[in-house]
């Protein structure tokens, strides 16, 4: 059955009971339409194209009607033209070869006497124009931009936008006409012309200077929109043409960025928009949000910036989740501009941690981390710890790392630092990174005043809960290492007073052995427990009965099916027959070497807190972990002095010793690094490498054959190291932190820190450096070649330069970001003079 018109076809398709019936009907109708096209029935063509477009909308093939659409466009009747152009827009795209046949029809209709026919041609061009068509019809579009008809000018501006997107080099053709359109009183023309100018400024930065002269005109247009009374034609929820206001604000943001004069011109109107716009409705909030973005982007005065941040703070109390999310997201970006202004809304931000929307909680957490400083660290860490108790598991790993990092950077005392990490271990011990645990153990080892307090707190916590893995590991390590402190002095309360009730060795051994039998025990915890009880057995405070009990436990594990456990048990059991040698092997470990953190902060510079506030340890630079040196001098400087590569093991060891000894005595030549006297070192790093050829990690299983010598005299603390930005482009920031020693002029240790400033990760980062011929350079490997958002990666360099000379670097950076590769090269000479000492 053939349907005579579109209405009958729609009715027939809707009456089909199954998809198969519908498919058959469409196939029959398509065949009938094809036959009609072959008959060249002029009168039926309009109906057939209408039916064919409906079939196309249902997803069936309709490409055979493309040429018939062109025939309709050539018709003198407006109704035929309208349907023909609609068919072209639906059935054709810019990749179709048939499109070349449309160019002539468009050119003819752009010069048509009927403005609606011109509008049809412009609308079609704006939707399907290809690069070739844009070049052919650019002159026609430019001519129509000067038309006296506002309807045509509006559509021509949008066509010009299409031309610029397809052929950016044609931007200059439309600059003059676009400026003239800004004086138009018609809102539709203004809206389309501002959209065109915005695209022109983004496409060609050279156009920006030409349009900065139009800032007063844009300000006048915006002011008329803000101050005008009720206009029924443009009113949306009581606000006059919010769409045009938003477009003007976006263009002002582009024109004011980096230009102080343009920014001064728009300061007053931005303040007026911010104060006069109604924030009770979504329309007003959209304008306020664009105003805030504009204020934060341009060279606005500080008062206006504070007002913008206050508007974002007001958004946080809005009941609409979308508005709160947008506010938190924007505050995350501007917190570095004016931290104090954002801190005024701290309580509101913390309230967002309890929001039901997980995305809002995540953004509030990120903002809370950025707000922590030395003044508010106690309050914010307490709030974050309270949230950690009820947070989803997916948040806990990041939260434990961030809270412990904040404690390391801003802790008022070591006592508070230890209490904070203990609270984290108790609340989320199953979500703590190995680096956090390692740094905590190093901190305790270097704080003898608080070892009894820490061991007591861990004993109490472990007795209450053995389900948290990191808490179990930390408690096992500390109790095994410092059991005699607890047994001799008893438990220590939080206020530092001794408890009357003492702890027996039986209770300590019972607690450690209960871990072995618990359902939470795993491969790692069993290793820690065996080592801890072995150490306890070697202490004079442990009774003979408990030593025999420990010996029996070790003997039972000599047949364990786990190879590592079996090996440890056999070795530890054999130590019981070695008499005095056992005490030497299992004596208390010397404090491990500590390094500066990724943030350049050493927590050992903090006072102890509740006991002696004397800082026992001084600063010391980061020691490289590899003697391999790389030099790119010849490649980058064109024939420089290459740094010497290590030649064999003795040379490599010598290089490491030189680097380690830059800022004080290095490790003595001994069979094992831990057997020498530990040099004074700074506090534990939260992200230190767990293993290092020159600084072994704190391991319960390491041995020593002689008692450790006493700690050396306290070293004076160095001032906080200054960092210098060497590279900040393409969403990657690199800072360089130099360290020098007056005892060794001409030698500079440099730590490069890498972090991304955008939302994507920088992958396969390659960082090369070179120095002039008179200097030598050694580089260590980068900590991680993938720099994720929120993380900081490091790389160590050592420069040897003539005393009195300035350190100059040529840096080559290569990485991939968001699927695109970035390669750049910069020269850096930003270090202060005199860094290498005096000549």
């Amino acid at each position: 059955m053939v349907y005579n018109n579109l209405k009958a076809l729609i009715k027939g398709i809707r009456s089909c009971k199954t998809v198969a019936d519908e498919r058959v009907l469409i196939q029959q109708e398509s065949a009938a339409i094809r036959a009609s096209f072959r008959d060249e029935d002029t009168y039926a063509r309009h109906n057939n194209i209408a039916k064919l477009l409906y079939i196309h909308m249902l997803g069936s093939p309709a490409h055979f009607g493309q040429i018939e659409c062109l025939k309709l466009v050539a018709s003198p009747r407006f109704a035929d033209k309208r349907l023909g152009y609609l068919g072209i827009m639906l059935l054709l795209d810019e990749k179709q070869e048939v499109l070349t046949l449309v160019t002539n029809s468009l050119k003819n209709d752009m010069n048509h006497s009927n403005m609606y026919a011109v509008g049809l041609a412009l609308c079609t061009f704006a939707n399907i124009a290809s690069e070739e068509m844009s070049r052919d019809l650019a002159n026609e579009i430019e001519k129509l931009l000067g038309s006296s008809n506002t309807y045509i000018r509006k559509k021509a501006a949008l066509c010009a936008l299409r031309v610029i997107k397809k052929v950016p080099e044609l931007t200059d053709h439309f600059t003059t006409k676009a400026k003239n359109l800004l004086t138009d009183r018609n809102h539709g023309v203004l809206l389309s012309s501002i959209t065109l100018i915005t695209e022109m400024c983004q496409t060609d930065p050279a156009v920006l200077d030409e349009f900065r002269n139009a800032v007063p005109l844009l300000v006048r247009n915006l002011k008329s929109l803000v101050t005008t009374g009720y206009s029924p034609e443009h009113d949306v929820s009581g606000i006059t043409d919010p769409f045009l206001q938003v477009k003007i604000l976006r263009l002002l943001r582009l024109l004011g960025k980096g230009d102080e004069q343009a920014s001064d011109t728009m300061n007053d109107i931005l303040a007026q928009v911010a104060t006069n716009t109604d924030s009770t409705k979504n329309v007003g909030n959209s304008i306020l949000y664009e105003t805030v973005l504009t204020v934060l982007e341009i060279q606005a005065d500080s008062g206006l910036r504070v007002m913008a941040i206050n508007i974002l703070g007001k958004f946080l109390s809005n009941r609409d989740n979308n508005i709160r999310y947008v506010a938190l997201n924007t505050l995350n970006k501007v917190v570095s501009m004016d931290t104090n202004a954002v801190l005024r809304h701290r309580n509101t931000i913390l309230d967002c941690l309890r929001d039901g929307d997980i995305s809002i909680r995540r953004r509030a957490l990120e903002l809370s981390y950025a707000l922590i400083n030395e003044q508010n660290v106690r309050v914010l860490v307490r709030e974050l710890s309270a949230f950690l108790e009820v947070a989803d598991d997916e948040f806990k790993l990041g939260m434990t790392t961030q809270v412990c990092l904040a404690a390391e950077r801003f802790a008022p005392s070591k006592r508070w630092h230890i209490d904070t990490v203990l609270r984290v271990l108790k609340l989320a011990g199953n979500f703590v990174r190995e680096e956090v645990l390692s740094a905590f153990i190093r901190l305790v080892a270097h704080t003898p005043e608080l070892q009894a307090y820490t061991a007591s707190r861990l004993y109490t916590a472990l007795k209450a809960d053995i389900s948290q893995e990191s808490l179990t590991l930390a408690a096992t390590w500390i109790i095994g290492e410092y059991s005699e402190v607890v047994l001799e002095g008893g438990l220590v309360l939080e206020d530092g007073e001794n408890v009357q009730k003492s702890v027996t060795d039986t209770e300590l051994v019972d607690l450690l052995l209960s871990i072995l039998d618990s359902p939470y025990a795993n491969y790692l915890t069993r290793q820690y427990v065996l080592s801890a009880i072995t150490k306890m057995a070697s202490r004079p405070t442990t009774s003979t009965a408990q030593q025999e009990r420990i010996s029996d436990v070790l003997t039972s594990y000599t047949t364990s099916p786990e190879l590592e456990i079996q090996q440890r048990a056999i070795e530890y059991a054999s130590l019981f027959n070695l008499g005095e040698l056992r005490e030497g092997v299992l004596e208390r470990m010397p404090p491990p070497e500590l390094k500066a953190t990724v943030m350049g902060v050493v927590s050992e510079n903090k006072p102890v807190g509740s006991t002696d506030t004397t800082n026992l340890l001084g600063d010391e630079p980061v020691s490289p972990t590899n003697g391999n040196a790389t030099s790119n001098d010849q490649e980058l400087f064109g024939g420089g002095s290459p740094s010497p590569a290590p030649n064999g093991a003795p040379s490599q060891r010598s290089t490491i010793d030189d680097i380690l000894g830059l800022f004080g005595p290095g490790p003595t030549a001994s069979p094992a690094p831990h057997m020498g006297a530990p040099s004074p070192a700074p506090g534990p790093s939260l992200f230190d490498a767990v293993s290092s050829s020159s600084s072994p990690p704190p391991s319960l299983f390491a041995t020593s054959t002689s008692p450790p010598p006493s700690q050396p005299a306290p070293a004076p603390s160095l001032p906080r190291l200054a960092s210098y930005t060497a590279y900040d482009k393409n969403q990657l920031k690199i800072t360089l932190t130099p360290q020098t020693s007056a005892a060794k002029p001409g030698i500079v240790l440099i730590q490069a820190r890498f972090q991304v400033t955008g939302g994507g990760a920088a992958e396969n980062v390659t960082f090369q450096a070179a120095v002039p011929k008179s200097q030598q350079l050694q580089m260590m490997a980068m900590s991680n070649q993938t720099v994720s958002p929120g993380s900081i990666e490091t790389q160590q360099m050592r420069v040897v330069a003539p005393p009195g000379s300035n350190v100059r670097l040529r840096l080559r950076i290569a990485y991939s970001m968001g699927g695109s590769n970035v390669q750049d090269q910069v020269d850096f000479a930003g270090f202060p003079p005199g860094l290498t000492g005096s000549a």
Side-chain angles (χ1 to χ4, degrees):
M1 177 180 178
V2 178
Y3 297 93
N4 295 324
N5 54 38
L6 177 61
K7 186 176 181 180
L9 176 63
I10 294 174
K11 188 175 180 180
I13 290 176
R14 287 182 175 177
S15 65
C16 293
K17 298 184 182 295
T18 64
V19 176
D21 292 343
E22 180 180 320
R23 192 180 298 116
V24 169
L25 189 151
I26 290 175
Q27 288 175 351
Q28 291 175 351
E29 188 63 28
S30 297
I33 292 173
R34 278 197 191 91
S36 179
F37 286 161
R38 284 195 295 270
D39 295 340
E40 291 291 336
D41 190 341
T42 306
Y43 297 101
R45 184 177 289 127
H46 187 281
N47 267 341
N48 287 334
I49 293 296
K51 290 188 289 184
L52 193 61
L53 293 182
Y54 182 72
I55 290 173
H56 172 73
M57 291 169 60
L58 293 178
S60 297
H63 57 278
F64 55 87
Q66 294 171 350
I67 300 300
E68 300 301 318
C69 291
L70 294 177
K71 294 177 180 178
L72 277 182
V73 166
S75 170
R77 294 177 61 237
F78 178 77
D80 287 347
K81 283 184 180 294
R82 182 174 60 184
L83 187 61
Y85 279 126
L86 176 62
I88 288 172
M89 285 186 278
L90 288 176
L91 302 180
L92 294 178
D93 58 43
E94 57 182 274
K95 298 177 182 178
Q96 299 279 348
E97 294 181 2
V98 183
L99 199 62
T100 55
L101 303 176
V102 184
T103 304
N104 193 48
S105 297
L106 288 175
K107 186 173 182 179
N108 292 336
D109 285 334
M110 284 180 184
N111 296 308
H112 203 282
S113 57
N114 186 338
M115 70 174 187
Y116 297 109
V118 177
L120 286 176
L122 292 173
C123 187
T124 305
F125 177 89
N127 276 280
I128 65 168
S130 62
E131 181 179 344
E132 183 181 354
M133 183 184 288
S134 298
R135 294 181 187 278
D136 292 340
L137 298 179
N139 292 332
E140 301 296 326
I141 302 298
E142 184 182 358
K143 184 173 67 175
L144 291 175
L145 282 172
S147 170
S148 59
N149 191 311
T150 57
Y151 176 80
I152 293 177
R153 288 202 304 275
K154 174 179 66 176
K155 290 184 177 292
L158 296 178
C159 290
L161 177 63
R162 176 82 177 195
V163 172
I164 290 172
K165 286 184 175 180
K166 292 296 175 185
V167 193
E169 57 265 27
L170 293 180
T171 302
D172 295 341
H173 284 64
F174 305 103
T175 304
T176 305
K177 292 291 179 66
K179 283 183 183 177
N180 297 335
L181 291 179
L182 288 178
T183 60
D184 206 298
R185 292 182 174 274
N186 183 277
H187 284 209
V189 176
L190 270 178
L191 190 66
S192 56
S193 62
I194 291 174
T195 305
L196 170 63
I197 293 171
T198 302
E199 181 65 27
M200 292 169 72
C201 293
Q202 290 173 338
T203 303
D204 187 1
V207 178
L208 272 173
D209 294 331
E210 295 189 36
F211 283 106
R212 284 200 171 108
N213 299 328
V215 169
L217 182 58
L218 290 169
V219 168
R220 189 161 62 247
N221 285 333
L222 183 58
K223 188 173 183 178
S224 68
L225 290 172
V226 175
T227 58
T228 188
Y230 175 71
S231 174
E233 185 181 356
H234 306 111
D235 184 83
V236 179
S237 298
I239 295 178
T240 304
D241 206 342
F243 302 101
L244 183 55
Q245 290 191 46
V246 166
K247 287 287 186 181
I248 293 176
L249 287 168
R250 287 180 181 173
L251 181 55
L252 288 176
R253 183 157 76 241
L254 280 174
L255 299 177
K257 184 177 181 180
D259 189 286
E260 191 170 350
Q261 182 179 354
S263 299
D264 289 341
T265 307
M266 61 184 78
N267 272 341
D268 291 340
I269 187 60
L270 291 175
Q272 191 172 352
V273 172
T275 52
N276 293 347
T277 303
D278 181 15
S279 62
T280 59
K281 296 175 182 174
N282 235 14
V283 176
N285 287 329
S286 65
I287 294 175
L288 286 174
Y289 177 62
E290 289 295 335
T291 305
V292 167
L293 294 181
T294 303
V295 168
L296 296 175
E297 191 78 17
I298 67 173
Q299 308 295 316
D301 55 45
S302 58
L304 202 55
R305 286 181 181 273
V306 171
M307 180 191 293
I309 292 175
N310 288 340
I311 291 173
L312 293 175
K314 191 176 180 181
F315 281 175
L316 293 178
S317 57
N318 197 298
R319 286 187 291 181
D320 190 331
N321 282 358
N322 294 323
I323 293 177
R324 291 212 303 280
Y325 180 87
V326 163
L328 288 169
N329 213 25
T330 309
L331 285 172
N332 265 313
K333 298 175 182 177
V334 304
V335 66
S336 58
M337 296 182 186
D338 194 342
T339 307
N340 291 331
V342 180
L343 274 172
R344 295 192 188 101
H345 308 283
R346 186 184 69 193
N347 293 333
T348 312
I349 294 168
L350 292 175
D351 287 341
C352 292
L353 292 176
R354 303 176 185 87
D355 195 276
D357 191 320
I358 189 172
S359 59
I360 290 179
R361 295 202 301 274
R362 183 178 285 110
R363 289 289 173 265
L365 263 180
E366 294 171 359
L367 186 55
S368 300
Y369 302 148
L371 291 178
I372 299 176
N373 57 33
E374 293 178 355
Q375 286 72 40
N376 61 26
V377 63
R378 290 179 182 271
V379 177
L380 283 177
V381 167
R382 184 170 61 247
E383 291 286 345
L384 290 173
S385 298
F387 177 65
L388 178 61
E389 194 169 359
V390 297
D392 298 333
D393 287 351
E394 63 180 288
F395 289 134
K396 288 184 177 178
L397 183 61
M399 284 194 67
T400 56
T401 304
Q402 292 288 349
V403 168
C404 292
L405 178 59
E408 185 172 10
R409 291 184 63 192
F410 305 115
S413 66
K414 298 179 188 177
R415 166 72 178 267
W416 184 89
H417 186 180
I418 289 175
D419 284 340
T420 300
V421 180
L422 284 173
R423 187 159 56 248
V424 168
L425 292 176
K426 287 193 287 188
L427 292 176
N430 290 324
F431 301 91
V432 176
R433 294 182 189 275
E434 184 181 352
E435 294 88 347
V436 174
L437 188 59
S438 176
F440 173 66
I441 291 175
R442 287 198 293 269
L443 174 63
V444 175
H446 278 271
T447 315
E449 302 91 341
L450 295 176
Q451 285 169 358
Y453 169 75
T454 308
S456 301
R457 293 288 307 279
L458 284 170
Y459 171 80
T460 306
L462 187 60
K463 203 169 183 181
D465 182 11
I466 60 173
S467 64
Q468 305 292 336
E469 181 182 357
S470 292
L471 175 63
T472 303
L473 294 176
T476 304
W477 201 99
I478 300 294
I479 292 173
E481 197 70 19
Y482 308 111
S483 60
E484 69 273 20
V485 177
V486 180
L487 293 174
E488 291 173 354
L491 294 178
V492 179
L493 289 175
E494 292 189 24
D495 58 4
E497 296 293 333
N498 286 342
V499 181
Q500 297 300 322
K501 179 189 172 186
S502 60
V503 180
T504 65
D505 56 350
T506 305
E507 291 175 310
L508 286 182
V509 174
D510 285 344
L511 178 61
L512 294 177
L513 293 183
S514 67
I515 298 172
L516 291 174
D517 301 327
S518 75
Y520 305 105
N522 58 28
Y523 186 69
L524 187 60
T525 55
R526 284 193 288 272
Q527 293 179 28
Y528 271 57
V529 170
L530 290 183
S531 299
I533 60 177
T534 305
K535 287 229 170 187
M536 279 189 62
S538 69
R539 303 293 189 260
T541 51
T542 305
S543 64
T544 305
Q546 295 305 315
Q547 290 183 9
E548 292 176 355
R549 182 183 176 191
I550 291 171
S551 178
D552 294 339
V553 172
L554 291 174
T555 303
S556 67
Y557 275 93
T558 55
T559 57
S560 171
E562 296 179 16
L563 181 60
E564 182 68 20
I565 300 294
Q566 181 188 121
Q567 181 179 349
R568 288 173 185 270
I570 291 173
E571 291 175 356
Y572 294 158
S574 65
L575 283 175
F576 275 77
N577 302 320
L578 298 180
E580 292 182 1
L581 183 60
R582 181 183 69 168
E583 280 70 23
V585 172
L586 299 176
E587 66 185 5
R588 186 185 296 184
M589 285 184 61
E593 182 182 353
L594 299 168
K595 301 179 181 180
T597 68
V598 291
M599 308 308 295
V601 179
V602 179
S603 58
E604 267 57 37
N605 292 334
K606 310 288 184 182
V608 173
S610 61
T611 58
D612 183 13
T613 59
T614 304
N615 184 14
L616 300 180
L617 302 167
D619 258 338
E620 188 171 87
V622 180
S623 301
T625 61
N626 195 332
N628 293 335
T630 59
S631 173
N632 301 288
D633 297 5
Q634 292 181 340
E635 180 186 354
L636 297 182
F637 273 105
S641 169
S643 57
N647 223 354
S651 174
Q652 179 176 349
R653 185 68 229 175
S654 174
T655 302
I656 296 176
D657 288 343
D658 286 346
I659 299 174
L660 290 175
L662 284 178
F663 301 93
T668 58
S670 58
H674 64 270
M675 293 175 62
S679 59
S685 165
L686 186 59
F687 294 106
D688 272 347
V690 178
S691 62
S692 168
S693 62
S694 61
S695 57
S699 169
L700 188 62
F701 318 114
T703 59
S704 175
T705 58
S706 60
S710 58
Q711 289 286 348
S717 298
L718 295 176
R720 178 167 294 192
L721 302 175
S723 297
Y724 304 89
T725 301
Y727 183 82
D728 191 0
K729 291 189 291 186
N730 303 317
Q731 302 184 43
L732 180 67
K733 182 177 181 180
I734 303 175
T735 58
L736 303 179
T737 305
Q739 284 183 299
T740 59
S741 171
K744 294 197 175 184
I747 299 179
V748 183
L749 275 188
I750 303 172
Q751 184 181 51
R753 297 188 182 93
F754 305 79
Q755 63 185 119
V756 292
T757 57
E763 299 176 339
N764 301 322
V765 178
T766 302
F767 180 68
Q768 297 176 312
V771 293
K773 295 180 180 180
S774 61
Q775 302 175 7
Q776 291 184 347
L777 171 69
Q778 287 180 314
M779 295 182 69
M780 302 299 107
M782 190 173 174
S783 59
N784 191 346
Q785 287 191 298
T786 299
V787 185
S788 304
S791 67
I792 299 179
E793 305 301 337
T794 60
Q795 187 167 2
Q796 309 296 333
M797 295 185 287
R798 177 178 185 256
V799 175
V800 180
S805 63
N806 293 330
V807 176
R808 294 187 298 114
L809 298 170
R810 176 164 292 174
L811 307 177
R812 179 177 293 173
I813 305 102
Y815 58 95
S816 60
M817 174 85 68
S820 61
N821 295 325
V822 179
Q823 288 188 349
D824 209 345
Q825 181 172 305
V826 295
D827 290 336
F828 176 77
F831 290 142
L835 195 66
T836 57
S838 57

